[in-house]
């Protein structure tokens, strides 16, 4: 009697999904970081994009866009801090 289901797909099938998911997550977090919590979401987007590119994602454009948006998050934070002379920004 078998109590668990057999593993679906061995080895190569589960590997490409991980970097692809990281590429999409970096894009989404980078995009959200432009609106809120850019101090936290920007570096996370950069790290996820770098790991996705290093692992060879098939969604290279999405990973590069996530990396660019992560850097843009930090640039927006620095510019807004410089303009408002505070540690945070508000509209």
């Amino acid at each position: 009697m078998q109590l668990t289901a057999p593993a679906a797909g061995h080895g190569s099938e589960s590997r490409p999904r991980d970097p692809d998911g990281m590429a999409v997550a970096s894009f989404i977090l980078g995009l959200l970081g432009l609106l809120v919590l850019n101090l936290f979401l920007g570096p996370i987007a950069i790290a996820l994009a770098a790991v996705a590119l290093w692992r060879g994602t098939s969604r290279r454009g999405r990973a590069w866009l996530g990396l660019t948006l992560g850097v843009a998050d930090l640039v927006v934070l620095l510019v807004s801090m410089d303009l408002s002379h505070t540690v945070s920004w508000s509209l």
Side-chain angles (χ1 to χ4, degrees), residues 23 26-27 30 42-43 45-51 53 60-73:
S26 71
F27 170 70
I46 293 169
L48 283 174
V51 171
L53 288 169
R60 294 184 60 79
R62 187 88 29 107
W64 280 108
L65 191 56
L67 184 68
T68 304
L69 286 170
V71 171
D73 291 347

Side-chain angles (χ1 to χ4, degrees), residues 7-20:
H10 295 287
S12 66
E13 196 172 308
S14 63
R15 186 183 173 279
R17 292 177 56 197
D18 190 31
D20 291 348

